[in-house]
């Protein structure tokens, strides 16, 4: 069964606007971590932001913030003030953390973001 | 800033040939991983390595694949007899640790090795 679901294969946003990339996850483990990675056309995987399941506040890193809604099992990435260089694939990933759970991050299928000038 | 390095960046090989992909993880990291990404598709876990042995592997990681850390710095992925469907980008990653609460378990990825099997 899919543990990470990214329902938007592609998204478009105007430069300087904000954009939200959706991610829902499935786990019965009370202890887990959620990650977002960016993959530009050059291919490398760049870590953006992390949210732990017990974190009280939504994670933020510069223009990136994570809208964490635990009851809905969603961890959407919000990019504010989009820049042309934000055009890339974005992957949501989850790592489960309790005994019996896998520590290995599992990735979603990704969302392609294109920022228009 | 420390980084994970991978070689080669691109390798073209004939079906049935052996391929070795090399990685140098970040020096104080303890856990090492290989993932692969078939063009345009999701990033798939292959194997994780800790304390000189495989800690977890996926169903993709069959007998054709092997990993080793021969000299304390390099971490290699060997594909014994390549198949067309092995064509993909292979990512090496490392992390400091997996203890939840002390470490996020963030993976640091290399830039990938693109393997093309003809």
């Amino acid at each position: 069964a899919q543990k990470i679901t990214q329902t938007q294969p592609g998204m478009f946003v105007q430069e300087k606007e904000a954009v939200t990339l959706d991610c829902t996850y499935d786990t019965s483990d009370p202890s887990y971590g959620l990650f977002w990675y960016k993959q530009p056309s050059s291919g490398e995987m760049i870590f953006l932001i992390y949210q732990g399941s017990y974190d009280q506040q939504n994670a933020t890193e510069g223009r990136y913030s994570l809208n964490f809604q635990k009851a809905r099992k969603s961890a959407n990435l919000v990019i504010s003030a989009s820049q042309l260089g934000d055009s890339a694939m974005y992957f949501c990933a989850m790592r489960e953390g309790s005994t019996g759970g896998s520590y290995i991050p599992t990735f979603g299928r990704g969302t392609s973001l294109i920022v228009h000038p | 800033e420390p980084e994970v390095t991978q070689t080669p960046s691109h390798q073209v090989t004939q079906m049935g040939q052996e391929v070795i992909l090399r990685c140098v993880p970040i020096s104080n990291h303890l856990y090492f991983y290989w993932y692969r990404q078939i063009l345009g598709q999701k990033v798939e876990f292959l194997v994780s390595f800790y304390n000189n042995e495989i800690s977890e592997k996926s169903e993709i990681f069959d007998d054709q694949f092997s990993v080793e850390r021969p000299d304390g710095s390099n971490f290699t992925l060997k594909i014994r007899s390549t198949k067309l469907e092995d064509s993909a980008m292979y990512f090496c990653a490392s992390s400091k640790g997996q203890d939840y609460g002390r470490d996020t378990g963030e993976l640091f990825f290399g830039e990938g090795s693109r393997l093309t099997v003809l």
Side-chain angles (χ1 to χ4, degrees):
Chain A
Q2 284 278 7
K3 289 199 168 186
I4 294 285
T5 302
Q6 295 181 254
T7 57
Q8 306 153 315
M11 288 285 286
F12 298 87
V13 66
Q14 203 73 29
E15 195 178 7
K16 300 179 186 175
E17 298 291 312
V19 63
T20 298
L21 306 183
D22 294 342
C23 173
T24 57
Y25 58 91
D26 181 29
T27 182
S28 56
D29 196 323
S31 178
Y32 53 90
L34 297 154
F35 306 82
W36 277 92
Y37 283 85
K38 172 184 178 181
Q39 186 181 40
S41 58
S42 50
E44 72 267 33
M45 297 284 284
I46 303 167
F47 168 75
L48 296 177
I49 197 166
Y50 168 82
Q51 179 84 44
S53 59
Y54 293 121
D55 293 343
Q56 295 297 313
Q57 294 188 327
N58 287 346
T60 61
E61 289 286 346
R63 294 186 299 110
Y64 304 107
S65 60
L66 204 151
N67 183 3
F68 181 45
Q69 298 189 40
K70 199 168 181 177
R72 294 185 177 185
K73 293 188 175 178
S74 75
N76 298 340
L77 177 71
V78 180
I79 305 174
S80 62
S82 297
Q83 301 171 356
L84 296 178
D86 294 335
S87 295
M89 283 290 288
Y90 288 81
F91 291 94
C92 181
M94 177 178 67
R95 184 205 65 169
E96 293 161 308
S98 296
T99 301
S102 169
Y103 288 105
I104 307 301
T106 303
F107 286 78
R109 292 191 175 276
T111 295
S112 174
L113 176 66
I114 295 176
V115 180
H116 287 303
Chain B
E1 186 173 323
E3 59 180 18
V4 177
T5 58
Q6 289 187 242
T7 55
S9 56
H10 189 194
Q11 181 157 356
V12 180
T13 190
Q14 295 291 326
M15 192 169 57
Q17 294 296 304
E18 176 182 284
V19 160
I20 297 176
L21 306 179
R22 291 182 170 80
C23 169
V24 179
I26 295 173
S27 61
N28 63 343
H29 284 186
L30 302 177
Y31 292 83
F32 315 115
Y33 311 82
W34 284 100
Y35 282 80
R36 80 172 183 191
Q37 184 183 32
I38 296 171
L39 186 63
Q41 299 188 26
K42 68 186 296 185
V43 179
E44 300 175 297
F45 167 72
L46 292 178
V47 65
S48 63
F49 195 84
Y50 170 71
N51 200 25
N52 284 320
E53 62 182 20
I54 291 173
S55 53
E56 194 163 341
K57 62 182 180 180
S58 73
E59 58 190 23
I60 301 169
F61 193 86
D62 60 20
D63 292 344
Q64 293 276 75
F65 293 90
S66 62
V67 290
E68 62 175 4
R69 192 161 157 79
D71 57 12
S73 62
N74 288 286
F75 178 51
T76 63
L77 174 70
K78 182 192 291 186
I79 309 174
R80 286 191 185 82
S81 178
T82 50
K83 299 178 284 221
L84 296 176
E85 54 265 38
D86 293 328
S87 294
M89 180 76 93
Y90 288 81
F91 289 102
C92 174
S94 66
S95 69
K96 291 179 194 174
Q98 295 181 338
D99 292 323
Y100 186 84
R102 290 193 288 161
D103 171 26
T104 67
E106 171 199 342
L107 267 59
F108 293 78
F109 282 86
E111 294 195 345
S113 294
R114 182 168 297 284
L115 175 65
T116 301
V117 182
L118 302 176

